Amino acid sequence: MAFKTIIEPFKIKSVEPIMMSTEEQRIGFLKTANYNPFMLRSEQVIIDFLTDSGTSAMSAKQWAGIMDGDESYAGSRSWFRMESIIKDLTGMEFILPTHQGRAAERILYGHLGGKGKVFFSNTLFDTSRANIEFSGAEGIDLSIEESELVNHTYPFKGNIDTVKLEEQIKNHDLKNIAGVVLTVTNNSGGGQPVSMQNVKETSRICKQYGILLFIDCCRIAENAWFIVDREHGYANKTYKEVAQEIFSYADGALMSAKKDGLVNMGGFLSLKDKKLSDACKNLLIITEGYTTYGGLSGRDMEAIAQGLEEVFDPAYLNYRIKSTTYLGEHLHRIGIPLMLPIGGHAVYIDAKALYPHIPVHQYPGQALVCELYTKGGIRTVEIGSVMFGKYDEQGKLIEAPMELVRLAIPRRVYTQSHIEYVIEVFDKIFEDRSKARGLKITEEPEFLRHFTAKYELI
Ligand SMILES: *Cc1c(COP(=O)(O)O)cnc(C)c1O
């Protein structure tokens, strides 16, 4: 393409106003929120990069589907549409609708897990790990070495280490291995892709030992984009064909449709085996709902069906990935240290490198989160010693391996000029970097402290 400007491949028909605020107002809002942007009211935020989950803008056809949804308890037309689209995409026979991703996880991992069982993964997402551990089972991450190196530009940093996988399999009693879970894209590092080669090799190992392979496919379309772009032999395939090939190597898939389903709520579990599906359907009926709606309304199912078709549109995927890359590359050019290469749905800033004068126990990540909010009204999240923070027996902070700040980009919500604005805010952040101040925690809960902790500026 001859033109370098990334235009959104859609027109805007319905708008939601952003409340504009001044830096002075935001200093007050943040103080009231005790320097924790989770406690801000959303209307105090100009650009919300807290998460890409459930924050997508739906299309006119999805909104039309909301009106058209069939709310019958059993045999809903909207269910049959959603089911047939997921069957076609995954090539799997048995589809179970759920109200979001973690409900599918609880059903599947709860059924296969239990005390003494183990799951292996490239990296388990936090709700996946929580559901596995809640069942009494253990989850072991086997990411490749390159994934730990912030500046290493390996193209498939999301891969599982298949050598380590085989070693682990040999070190465990086969009957205790509940399954292997490939998270595509891998959430760590902002959505690093998994290569087809890696999916194939993992599948070969699983088949050899008779182990079930599952795809956590929240960002399957974004992963397919990277395979077409970067992997030999896929340049002429469609994104959907690539996704279908990934699923063909697996025994099942779980999806939070709040990501690449382009909806605000929903998910599913799909399986190839009837016996496993029958067992999961029992649990579905007990905790989610009847098999033709799970935890969903008919209108939700219409929107998911439509979203799963729209997400594979090449114009959409190009805009999506290139817009995320554009943001990352421009921040890199300014001199902002970040994780490379840029992933699909987020940009991760290395706050420890940006603020070397702030010691880890004064939370450089949280300092950047506060700077981004006061300077530009941009809401982000710290992924470092606040989120993972634990104390040793002497009450001293155990430092996280990295002090990162995540900018997660909602789908179809912000335009190129919003992205330009964010880059401009970062110009100022970089200029004033030596003036940023650390924080002290004044109040914190026992678990998941990042959501509700209170801070003071130092
Ligand atoms: C969001 C997410 C989930 C959980 O889905 P929810 O809809 O939030 O319950 C599971 N795995 C991955 C990779 C995710 O990104």
Side-chain angles (χ1 to χ4, degrees), residues 51-53 99-105 123-128 183-187 216-219 254-259 265-267 345:
T51 176
D52 68 320
S53 179
H99 80 277
Q100 62 183 88
R102 68 196 70 182
E105 291 171 349
T123 309
L124 292 167
F125 182 69
D126 52 13
T127 58
S128 320
T183 310
V184 303
T185 55
N186 194 337
N187 220 332
D216 179 338
C217 66
C218 296
R219 298 177 183 83
L254 310 90
M255 185 177 202
S256 165
K258 299 170 74 171
K259 311 340 183 326
M265 192 51 74
H345 70 281

Side-chain angles (χ1 to χ4, degrees), residues 26 43 65 84 128 130 218 234 244 254 270 273 295 327 353 432 450:
R26 290 191 295 267
E43 61 268 29
S84 81
S128 320
C218 296
Y234 288 91
Q244 286 168 323
L254 310 90
S270 63
D273 181 66
L327 173 60
D432 292 350
H450 59 287

Side-chain angles (χ1 to χ4, degrees), residues 227-415:
I227 288 176
V228 170
D229 189 59
R230 296 180 183 171
E231 194 162 352
H232 179 70
Y234 288 91
N236 295 322
K237 299 253 187 221
T238 66
Y239 300 116
K240 189 173 150 192
E241 283 166 351
V242 170
Q244 286 168 323
E245 184 178 337
I246 293 176
F247 288 122
S248 74
Y249 299 118
D251 299 288
L254 310 90
M255 185 177 202
S256 165
K258 299 170 74 171
K259 311 340 183 326
D260 271 353
L262 298 176
V263 292
N264 307 116
M265 192 51 74
F268 66 81
L269 168 62
S270 63
L271 295 164
K272 284 183 179 165
D273 181 66
K274 180 165 187 312
K275 228 174 112 195
L276 181 55
S277 148
D278 285 345
C280 288
K281 275 184 185 166
N282 277 332
L283 296 170
L284 180 77
I285 293 172
I286 294 170
T287 60
E288 283 283 294
Y290 182 62
T291 55
T292 63
Y293 71 87
L296 296 167
S297 307
R299 51 183 172 272
D300 294 333
M301 297 193 285
E302 275 302 326
I304 293 169
Q306 182 65 29
L308 285 175
E309 290 201 320
E310 291 176 6
V311 78
F312 289 102
D313 172 12
Y316 161 73
L317 274 178
N318 269 319
Y319 141 79
R320 167 72 178 159
I321 308 285
K322 290 200 169 149
S323 166
T324 307
T325 308
Y326 179 92
L327 173 60
E329 280 178 353
H330 277 72
L331 300 188
H332 187 55
R333 227 174 278 170
I334 293 172
I336 303 285
L338 37 80
M339 285 191 79
L340 295 172
I342 312 299
H345 70 281
V347 175
Y348 277 64
I349 316 289
D350 181 353
K352 197 161 34 175
L354 180 66
Y355 295 145
H357 63 288
I358 303 180
V360 169
H361 68 270
Q362 294 179 10
Y363 306 112
Q366 193 66 20
L368 176 57
V369 165
C370 291
E371 282 281 288
L372 279 166
Y373 178 70
T374 40
K375 287 206 160 66
I378 302 165
R379 179 156 68 169
T380 55
V381 62
E382 190 258 19
I383 300 192
S385 290
V386 171
M387 188 178 274
F388 302 119
K390 291 199 177 105
Y391 299 101
D392 66 14
E393 277 151 28
Q394 280 76 46
K396 200 167 156 282
L397 179 76
I398 303 170
E399 297 184 5
M402 292 189 269
E403 303 300 322
L404 303 172
V405 169
R406 185 182 73 182
L407 279 55
I409 327 269
R411 293 170 182 76
R412 303 194 292 206
V413 170
Y414 295 113
T415 65

